Amino acid sequence: MKKQFYNILHSVLVTKFIYGLILINVVALVLETNQELRVDYNSSFEFIEYFSIGIFTMEYLLRIWTADSHNDIKGIFNSKRAGYIFSFYGLVDMIAILPFFLPLIIPFDLRIMRILRLFRLFRILKLGRYSSSFNGIKNVLKETKPQLVITIFIASILLLLSSTLMFYAENEAQPEKFSSISDSLWWAVATLTTVGYGDVYPVTSLGKFLSAFIALIGIGFIALPTGILSSAFIDNLKPMDDSIKRACPHCGKR
C-alpha cells in the first residue's frame, strides 16, 4: 500500500494538480491584498486557503510516510523519513502549511499574524519539485557558485571603495546626505547597479567625476555575473537539445 501511495504521489496527474493548486494560491495571495476583492470574495479566498491546506497537509504527511520507499532520499539519524523532513523540499513543504497551524497552537499578536500570512508565498518554492526549469536553475547556480562568489567579493570591495571615496569628496558639501561611509553606501549601491534613483547625488566637481567613473565601472561589472550565468545556461541546455535530436520519434531510443 505504501508503494502504491508513493507511485500516486509521483504520478503525472497528481503532479499537475499540485502544480496548478500552487499557482492558484499565488494568484489568490496577490488578489487578496486588494481590499475590494477581499471584501467581495472573502468566502472564495477562505475556501481556496482551507482546501489548499488540506491538500498540502495530506501531501506532506504522505511524503513522510512513503519516504522510506524512495531510494534517492538520504537518511538522517538512520531514518529516510528524517532525511526528507530536514531536506530542502521537506522544509518547504512544512513552511507551506506551518503559518496556518501555528496560530492555532500558539496565540500570536495580530501584527505577527499578518507576517505569518506572508509565508504562504513560500508555497511557490514547491514548484521546484515539479518543474524541470527550476532544477535547471539550481544546476546552473551550483555549477557557477565559485565564479559568483568571486563576483560578490569583488562587488563588496568596489562598494566599500566607492562609498569611502564619495564620503570624503561630498561630506563637507552635503553633510546630511553623506554623513558617514555607511550612509554613502546607499549611493554606491544605486550607482554601481546603474539604477541611479536620484535621491542622493554628488554636487562637487570631484564627486561628479568619481560618480561618472564608478557608474562606468558598474556597467561593466553588472555584465560579469550576467555573462557567467548566460554561458552556464547555454551549456546546461546543450545536452537536452542533443538528446532530443538523437532520440527516435517512434521508440524513444537514441
Side-chain angles (χ1 to χ4, degrees):
M1 184 183 293
K2 187 184 296 186
K3 189 67 176 178
Q4 289 177 345
F5 272 107
Y6 176 81
N7 293 332
I8 291 172
L9 272 177
H10 293 80
S11 65
V12 176
L13 184 62
V14 172
T15 296
K16 290 183 177 180
F17 174 73
I18 297 293
Y19 199 103
L21 190 59
I22 294 168
L23 294 178
I24 290 172
N25 270 258
V26 174
V27 173
L29 178 64
V30 173
L31 295 179
E32 196 178 359
T33 56
N34 186 297
Q35 187 174 358
E36 294 181 2
L37 292 175
R38 186 168 64 250
V39 173
D40 295 339
Y41 300 98
N42 184 57
S43 58
S44 299
F45 289 131
E46 286 185 351
F47 172 77
I48 292 173
E49 176 66 8
Y50 293 143
F51 179 75
S52 302
I53 284 295
I55 295 297
F56 291 149
T57 303
M58 188 184 303
E59 180 204 10
Y60 180 60
L61 294 176
L62 285 175
R63 286 188 181 278
I64 293 176
W65 183 50
T66 60
D68 53 358
S69 300
H70 194 357
N71 295 327
D72 295 336
I73 294 179
K74 296 179 180 179
I76 298 178
F77 309 119
N78 295 324
S79 172
K80 286 194 174 184
R81 290 175 180 173
Y84 162 72
I85 292 172
F86 293 102
S87 66
F88 174 75
Y89 286 121
L91 293 174
V92 167
D93 290 341
M94 182 179 65
I95 292 173
I97 61 175
L98 194 62
F100 180 84
F101 292 107
L102 206 56
L104 301 177
I105 302 172
I106 306 172
F108 282 102
D109 181 51
L110 291 176
R111 289 171 295 181
I112 300 178
M113 282 281 294
R114 292 180 65 185
I115 296 173
L116 283 175
R117 287 176 68 85
L118 291 176
F119 277 90
R120 289 159 56 194
L121 190 60
F122 276 84
R123 291 173 189 172
I124 198 171
L125 295 177
K126 289 168 65 68
L127 290 175
R129 179 186 285 117
Y130 307 104
S131 174
S132 58
S133 300
F134 274 82
N135 292 327
I137 294 172
K138 182 178 69 175
N139 294 334
V140 166
L141 292 176
K142 188 182 295 184
E143 291 173 5
T144 58
K145 181 180 176 181
Q147 294 90 333
L148 292 176
V149 169
I150 293 173
T151 305
I152 293 171
F153 178 71
I154 295 172
S156 303
I157 294 175
L158 288 175
L159 286 172
L160 181 61
L161 287 174
S162 301
S163 56
T164 303
L165 291 173
M166 193 55 64
F167 167 72
Y168 286 109
E170 293 290 323
N171 177 251
E172 292 184 5
Q174 301 185 83
E176 70 285 350
K177 292 184 177 180
F178 295 89
S179 58
S180 64
I181 293 177
S182 58
D183 287 337
S184 304
L185 193 62
W186 165 249
W187 169 89
V189 170
T191 304
L192 270 177
T193 55
T194 68
V195 175
Y197 289 111
D199 54 340
V200 180
Y201 54 88
V203 295
T204 64
S205 299
L206 178 59
K208 290 178 180 179
F209 173 78
L210 288 172
S211 179
F213 182 70
I214 293 168
L216 291 173
I217 292 177
I219 294 172
F221 171 75
I222 291 299
L224 277 177
T226 305
I228 292 170
L229 291 173
S230 299
S231 176
F233 268 115
I234 293 171
D235 293 340
N236 193 263
L237 290 173
K238 276 183 178 178
M240 296 173 60
D241 293 338
D242 293 341
S243 63
I244 291 172
K245 291 176 182 177
R246 292 197 300 268
C248 174
H250 302 288
C251 64
K253 294 182 178 179
R254 294 189 178 183

